[in-house]
Amino acid sequence: MSNIPKSLIEAIRQAERVTVLTGAGVSAESGVPTFRGKEGLWKKYSPQELATPQAFAQDPRLVWEWYDWRRGLIAPLKPNAAHKFIATLEERYPHFLLITQNIDGLHQKAGSKKLVELHGNIWKVRCTKEGTVEEDKRVPLPQIPPLCSRCGALLRPHVVWFGEPLPTDALHQAMEAAENCDLFLVVGTSAVVYPAASLPQIAQSHGAQVVEINPEETPITPIAHWSLRGKAGEICQRLAQALQDTHS
Ligand code: OAD
């Protein structure tokens, strides 16, 4: 595992505007499967059959069964040291935004409040007719596919599927935070899904220093000022410790 460079600790201490982008890897140590890689969900399941508007139109029950299974898997899981470290960062900086591609809600469980969810949230459902969004944390869902209690139309998971645009507000906030930060931290993403993957590049081209935490190299590695190779929870624990040590 990488050592934590002193220059990075200094940069974290000096920064005033910090933006963090997370992907599935940040939740891996909590037990949430990632999408790509050896054990990734997309190795066993087809995104075309489960995570597109066409798939839902063709077989809403199948799509809901898969989401219901994932909700059951995620429900008992707890945030890890990386989620917790990231949650502490928002108190440290006057300007802070956490941008997550994850839909699992673990950042909120760790206490993060200043966050945008680029790909939605698995604990919310949306009426396909009215467009209304509601939280529904029942596991398993009592009825599959679930129906809107007001109008009876199909509900869908409030997540972004392949081929769908990202929520405009969330994307706008994310772009602004990428353009206006001095430190951009990228944790646990393969950085191959756009537009999220463009955010570190935008930050770097606007003068931010980029830090990557990932056991593997990614397309972000060449633009990162610091690449910390290892698991997010372990590295974040050491970062928190190093920050504490330099403080005292
Ligand atoms: P991926 O599964 O593509 O990538 C996970 C990344 O996490 C990889 O780069 C791994 O090397 C890294 N990783 C694995 N374990 C880790 C650990 N313990 N600590 C740190 N990093 C670790 O997941 P995402 O990049 O999040 O979109 O994928 C982006 C999007 O693609 C997802 O939001 C989802 C998916 O299709 C939608 O569903 C719209």
Side-chain angles (χ1 to χ4, degrees):
M1 202 196 312
S2 313
N3 280 325
I4 311 286
K6 283 212 172 69
S7 58
L8 171 58
I9 295 301
E10 202 44 39
I12 294 176
R13 295 194 63 201
Q14 299 286 321
E16 284 177 9
R17 296 172 168 268
V18 172
T19 303
V20 181
L21 171 68
T22 63
V26 80
S27 296
E29 285 151 278
S30 296
V32 183
T34 60
F35 295 95
R36 297 171 184 83
K38 271 199 299 264
E39 305 289 320
L41 285 175
W42 297 150
K43 279 270 164 0
K44 288 181 227 144
Y45 303 95
S46 150
Q48 283 74 28
E49 282 168 30
L50 297 166
T52 63
Q54 294 77 9
F56 188 67
Q58 206 177 329
D59 198 343
R61 170 178 290 274
L62 177 75
V63 171
W64 262 116
E65 278 169 355
W66 191 62
Y67 277 91
D68 198 42
W69 168 75
R70 286 175 68 197
R71 285 161 59 106
L73 194 98
I74 295 167
L77 302 182
K78 296 192 172 62
N80 64 54
H83 298 108
K84 289 179 194 162
F85 174 70
I86 293 165
T88 66
L89 291 181
E90 76 180 40
E91 286 149 30
R92 188 178 257 272
Y93 300 106
H95 299 277
F96 178 87
L97 188 69
L98 165 59
I99 305 160
T100 188
Q101 299 167 85
N102 298 346
I103 61 175
D104 57 30
L106 286 177
H107 282 301
Q108 291 91 326
K109 264 195 186 176
S112 280
K113 292 192 178 64
K114 293 182 189 169
L115 87 167
V116 293
E117 295 177 309
L118 284 185
H119 294 166
N121 187 302
I122 201 165
W123 302 111
K124 291 180 182 166
V125 293
R126 186 162 88 231
C127 175
T128 53
K129 192 166 162 209
E130 302 168 333
T132 44
V133 176
E134 269 175 20
E135 194 173 82
D136 188 339
K137 291 193 163 173
R138 290 173 298 173
V139 170
L141 284 164
Q143 183 193 4
I144 288 192
L147 302 177
C148 177
S149 57
R150 280 178 305 276
C151 74
L154 257 181
L155 292 174
R156 60 164 279 176
H158 184 50
V159 298
V160 175
W161 284 326
F162 287 98
E164 293 187 315
L166 268 55
T168 318
D169 271 10
L171 184 59
H172 182 76
Q173 276 189 65
M175 300 281 255
E176 204 169 73
E179 285 171 8
N180 292 301
C181 64
D182 36 49
L183 196 66
F184 193 98
L185 190 58
V186 191
V187 189
T189 179
S190 58
V192 293
V193 174
Y194 282 80
S198 66
L199 295 167
Q201 286 151 12
I202 292 171
Q204 193 253 356
S205 68
H206 281 74
Q209 292 189 300
V210 175
V211 188
E212 177 180 61
I213 301 178
N214 199 308
E216 317 248 329
E217 279 196 19
T218 75
I220 301 308
T221 308
I223 62 155
H225 291 72
W226 297 276
S227 282
L228 304 180
R229 293 272 159 262
K231 294 182 176 175
E234 292 175 12
I235 299 233
C236 286
Q237 229 162 1
R238 289 169 49 206
L239 272 175
Q241 188 61 54
L243 281 166
Q244 219 170 31
D245 292 348
T246 52
H247 197 66
S248 51

